[in-house]
Amino acid sequence: MGRYIARRLLMTIPVLIGATLLIFTIVYALPGDPVRALAGDRPLTPAAQAAIRDEYNLNDPLLIQYLKYLGGLLQGDLGQDFSGRPVSETITQRLPITVRLAVLAVVIEVIIGVIAGVLAGIRRNSYMDNLVLVSTTLVVSIPVFVLAFLAQYVFGLRFGWFPIAGLSEGFRSYILPAFVLAALSLAYVARLTRTSIAENLRQDYVRTAKAKGLKPSVVVGKHTLRNSLIPVVTFVGADLASLMAGAIVTETVFNIPGLGRAVFESVQRQEGFVIVGIVTVFVFFYITFNLVVDILYAVIDPRIRYD
Amino acid sequence: MSQTLTTPDISGAAGAPVLEVNDLHVEFRTPHGLVRAVNGITYSVRPGETLAILGESGSGKSVSVQAVMGILDSPPGFVTGGSILFHGQDMLTMPAAQQRVIRGPGIAMVFQDALSSLNPVFSVGHQIGEMYRAHQGASRREAKAKAIELMERVRIPAARERVNDYPHQFSGGMRQRVMIAMALALDPEILIADEPTTALDVTVQAQIMELLNDLQRDTGMGLILITHDLGVVNEVADRVAVMYAGKIVESGTIDEVFTAPTHPYTAGLMSSVPQAETKGTRLQPIKGQPPNLAAIPPGCSFHPRCPHARIGSAAAADQDCAGDVPELREVRPARMAACHYSEEIFGE
Ligand SMILES: Nc1ncnc2c1ncn2[C@@H]1O[C@H](COP(=O)(O)OP(=O)(O)OP(=O)(O)O)[C@@H](O)[C@H]1O
Ligand code: SF4
Ligand SMILES: [Mg+2]
């Protein structure tokens, strides 16, 4: 197991290099001139523009730019944005906000999704089952930003339960965006759990558990659930990417100053270093989280063995 | 169709029956129609006695014992009549919590396919120990210690080292021993074994049967053994019940039923099996299709395949094989058969 983890961690290096190169190329290929856009209405003098281009290596060819960036990266330097602020500062400031939001979203997704899926799966075609089916279909078919506006309108404006945007009210400010961020994955988790529970309930080992005289809560909540969670864990791990992409939309709509919105803003301003820096953080989290999920997977299912 | 006759005490086993199944009916309400899987079967098991249930595939053997264990696939399966008495108390009408107290300490079951019947994600020690934790409130440590004891008792080598292993890490025979250990954990009074050796190699089959036999002798439990293996039945059973289309068509002591059947269906099963060669012999297929339980033939359900069937004008009054249902009756001392013409075909 230890060797497996070490190998997986080593694998993150080429993945990170590939990811940064990819983002770098995309930003390089973006139409428009970041320096001119930066200046807005009052044009900078050509001399000032040239100075900025020089400082950010914008005159170099792509590969040179990238290699210079990598060189800085090896010394722990993520570069700086056009206002001279180090990217690492932006990240350390905004990362905790996004982590809080994402953790809350995963918790919501897993807890509510699994409970809804179990309730639906143990009695097919029951009221609960139909409720879960209809509501998950609805969530899946609505675009995230529509869902966000809907949540803001209903729970923020009409009921006034949660702030509509911003982070002014601490934990309460995170609830609405976390639900919106979790919604799509929650629907998938519920569906997946429902199918998985229904399938596992037909298995022979469930019959054995009943024949042992175990309570229905143990038969379902222990014997069936543990097996049913195996595909759910896999899904949650793989789905983290969509959660991070979702954070870009959700943080922007809810005006939350996390990494997601920073990506949005820096794409608008074509701040190459910021985009690459943040996406690299995303990729790193994705890889780490997937490793954790794979280890968890082996804990839940003893038939899985690494090495 | 009520079954008033009680099975005579022919086993030589001591004591009152622990388990009495009376006129049990089970049906499956499927989208394709009503499947009448069990249609009024009656039997009882005494301490120390082995009852073998024989019959072709689909004759309702498994369903009948699943109803006893309360593990019918329901829906679509429903018990629609009869009673299942454990020490005189009807399990079908008692509250679920009381039923659960019987499952395990009262009646336990060993299934055919141990690999799929054991939970793949819990260690065997955990699954065996769970019996003590659920029924006796044992601690984790006590449960594990007892699980090791049981694994030794069913002769699993290196039990102490293997207690934390998972089902997939055992061979087929060892897994079936784990199942047996789990079933025996609470010293059940009745053990139901539904084809416990079918999935195993021949040599392993013999070992498992020997183990079951020894354990039964040690504990004095009653055993209901469902098997296709006539040799096994011949060796270990006291009595045999032959099922056809969800009914018992013949029952009696093993020796008598095997040497002199009194029902044409049983005779068909035995015909090509000389007594000395029954060991390892599976039921012989007999001519014709097993009945479709969604459309059981009227009268004697065996009549489309029966070489002795008398239909219409050939039949005696009220004994038309295609119209009148033959009751299970005592055709000889201590022998029951459901055939209108048993005496005429097989003699008194
Ligand atoms: N879950 C179910 N749904 C619908 N029908 C069922 C179900 N389980 C069993 N049956 C029906 O009940 C009948 C009796 O099945 P059962 O399993 O008792 O046969 P069996 O005698 O044990 O056969 P085998 O020797 O193959 O194990 C079968 O014909 C089958 O169609
Ligand atoms: S009742 Fe008739 S059909 Fe049925 S077994 Fe007897 S002779 Fe054959
Ligand atoms: Mg069966």
Side-chain angles (χ1 to χ4, degrees):
Chain A
M1 190 60 127
R3 283 185 51 199
Y4 173 77
I5 294 172
R7 209 167 57 223
R8 284 283 301 261
L9 285 175
L10 268 178
M11 260 165 54
T12 59
I13 294 171
V15 172
L16 282 176
I17 291 178
T20 47
L21 181 59
L22 192 68
I23 306 298
F24 225 87
T25 315
I26 293 171
V27 174
Y28 187 85
L30 278 179
D33 181 349
V35 178
R36 199 169 294 155
L38 181 72
D41 293 337
R42 269 182 304 142
L44 293 171
T45 61
Q49 287 190 19
I52 292 178
R53 287 217 162 78
D54 212 37
E55 189 180 346
Y56 293 88
N57 309 323
L58 293 180
N59 290 323
D60 294 335
L62 171 67
L63 204 61
I64 303 296
Q65 281 192 32
Y66 179 69
L67 288 178
K68 283 183 177 168
Y69 176 78
L70 269 190
L73 204 59
L74 282 180
Q75 295 157 29
D77 178 12
L78 290 175
Q80 40 186 251
D81 64 16
F82 291 141
S83 65
R85 193 160 178 254
V87 174
S88 55
E89 202 179 296
T90 308
I91 289 176
T92 44
Q93 200 176 63
R94 294 182 165 218
L95 181 64
I97 297 174
T98 299
V99 167
R100 250 173 261 155
L101 184 66
V103 167
L104 190 58
V106 171
V107 169
I108 290 171
E109 163 189 341
V110 170
I111 292 184
I112 301 186
V114 166
I115 291 177
V118 169
L119 292 178
I122 51 178
R123 282 207 194 289
R124 291 278 204 129
N125 303 319
S126 63
Y127 171 76
M128 189 65 204
D129 187 22
N130 285 313
L131 184 74
V132 168
L133 273 185
V134 170
S135 54
T136 52
T137 310
L138 212 65
V139 167
V140 170
S141 52
I142 297 177
V144 178
F145 64 92
V146 174
L147 200 69
F149 290 136
L150 215 65
Q152 283 174 320
Y153 177 72
V154 176
F155 299 104
L157 216 58
R158 291 299 292 266
F159 296 157
W161 291 349
F162 304 103
I164 297 171
L167 282 182
S168 54
E169 293 185 35
F171 178 72
R172 263 159 51 87
S173 316
Y174 284 98
I175 293 178
L176 222 45
F179 262 98
V180 169
L181 182 55
L184 189 64
S185 311
L186 191 160
Y188 283 121
V189 168
R191 287 283 189 105
L192 197 59
T193 309
R194 169 186 180 269
T195 318
S196 189
I197 286 271
E199 230 166 63
N200 275 288
L201 278 175
R202 282 199 299 268
Q203 300 298 315
D204 289 348
Y205 69 81
V206 173
R207 219 180 40 188
T208 310
K210 288 183 197 161
K212 286 164 86 173
L214 303 177
K215 291 196 195 92
S217 57
V218 178
V219 174
V220 176
K222 177 178 167 185
H223 285 268
T224 315
L225 187 62
R226 179 85 172 260
N227 283 279
S228 306
L229 282 183
I230 295 170
V232 176
V233 167
T234 317
F235 170 79
V236 171
D239 185 56
L240 193 72
S242 79
L243 205 67
M244 290 185 300
I248 299 177
V249 177
T250 313
E251 288 184 359
T252 306
V253 175
F254 282 92
N255 198 23
I256 291 174
L259 282 183
R261 209 184 69 185
V263 169
F264 178 75
E265 289 165 356
S266 47
V267 167
Q268 272 187 330
R269 289 201 299 263
Q270 297 194 22
E271 296 249 29
F273 288 153
V274 186
I275 304 175
V276 178
I278 295 177
V279 172
T280 307
V281 170
F282 277 180
V283 171
F284 181 75
F285 267 96
Y286 182 69
I287 294 171
T288 318
F289 194 71
N290 263 292
L291 180 57
V292 172
V293 165
D294 279 350
I295 293 167
L296 201 63
Y297 194 47
V299 171
I300 295 185
D301 187 350
R303 287 164 298 184
I304 309 273
R305 277 285 163 263
Y306 303 117
D307 292 332
Chain B
M1 187 191 51
S2 145
Q3 181 64 59
T4 47
L5 282 167
T6 49
T7 317
D9 183 1
I10 49 176
S11 63
V18 181
L19 177 71
E20 294 168 85
V21 175
N22 291 309
D23 196 26
L24 182 69
H25 287 75
V26 181
E27 62 187 35
F28 289 93
R29 295 167 194 162
T30 73
H32 319 291
L34 198 62
V35 176
R36 297 179 199 279
V38 176
N39 302 295
I41 67 169
T42 296
Y43 60 79
S44 59
V45 184
R46 293 178 172 75
E49 175 183 48
T50 299
L51 170 69
I53 301 181
L54 273 180
E56 281 172 307
S57 190
S59 54
K61 305 181 297 290
S62 295
V63 169
S64 69
V65 293
Q66 280 166 12
V68 171
M69 278 319 282
I71 52 170
L72 267 183
D73 217 356
S74 179
F78 297 91
V79 174
T80 53
S83 60
I84 298 168
L85 306 182
F86 183 74
H87 286 297
Q89 277 191 301
D90 191 354
M91 294 181 67
L92 292 175
T93 54
M94 69 175 58
Q98 205 179 332
Q99 285 180 35
R100 285 200 296 273
V101 176
I102 297 178
R103 279 179 223 146
I107 310 175
M109 185 155 171
V110 173
F111 296 92
Q112 173 179 339
D113 183 358
L115 182 59
S116 67
S117 298
L118 290 168
N119 195 324
V121 303
F122 294 106
S123 71
V124 298
H126 181 101
Q127 294 186 62
I128 298 171
E130 195 176 22
M131 298 296 274
Y132 299 105
R133 291 174 57 77
H135 289 274
Q136 300 177 346
S139 72
R140 246 169 229 284
R141 274 196 31 209
E142 288 166 351
K144 193 165 160 184
K146 289 193 166 184
I148 294 171
E149 243 171 67
L150 267 171
M151 286 169 71
E152 279 164 355
R153 197 163 142 217
V154 297
R155 302 167 206 158
I156 296 176
R160 192 168 296 276
E161 288 82 62
R162 306 218 62 187
V163 66
N164 291 325
D165 283 357
Y166 292 89
H168 71 276
Q169 294 168 301
F170 288 81
S171 69
M174 286 302 145
R175 262 196 302 264
Q176 193 57 284
R177 285 170 197 264
V178 170
M179 275 244 84
I180 293 171
M182 200 164 77
L184 290 180
L186 302 172
D187 274 324
E189 294 174 72
I190 299 282
L191 180 69
I192 299 173
D194 188 352
E195 305 195 33
T197 62
T198 309
L200 306 173
D201 297 343
V202 181
T203 47
V204 182
Q205 283 185 4
Q207 291 164 5
I208 294 287
M209 278 320 302
E210 192 189 316
L211 173 69
L212 275 176
N213 220 1
D214 290 354
L215 290 166
Q216 186 193 19
R217 208 186 39 232
D218 296 348
T219 61
M221 65 186 175
L223 179 64
I224 299 176
L225 180 68
I226 296 177
T227 174
H228 284 128
D229 191 329
L230 292 178
V232 165
V233 173
N234 206 6
E235 266 171 41
V236 305
D238 301 305
R239 280 191 299 134
V240 60
V242 180
M243 280 187 76
Y244 188 82
K247 285 184 184 175
I248 293 178
V249 293
E250 174 156 14
S251 73
T253 63
I254 199 74
D255 295 339
E256 294 187 19
V257 172
F258 269 42
T259 47
T262 58
H263 191 284
Y265 177 63
T266 320
L269 291 180
M270 307 298 161
S271 62
S272 48
V273 190
Q275 272 296 257
E277 291 170 25
T278 51
K279 192 171 173 73
T281 316
R282 301 181 64 85
L283 290 187
Q284 294 300 312
I286 50 177
K287 263 211 304 237
Q289 287 295 309
N292 173 3
L293 295 179
I296 296 176
C300 172
S301 44
F302 184 56
H303 84 257
R305 299 166 78 184
C306 179
H308 307 285
R310 297 188 199 174
I311 294 164
S313 54
D318 299 329
Q319 294 188 345
D320 187 336
C321 293
D324 300 308
V325 176
E327 295 286 330
L328 187 64
R329 59 198 173 85
E330 198 163 359
V331 292
R332 287 180 198 176
R335 178 77 73 85
M336 317 275 287
C339 172
H340 292 306
Y341 299 106
S342 175
E343 291 86 346
E344 287 169 46
I345 301 167
F346 301 101
E348 297 286 329

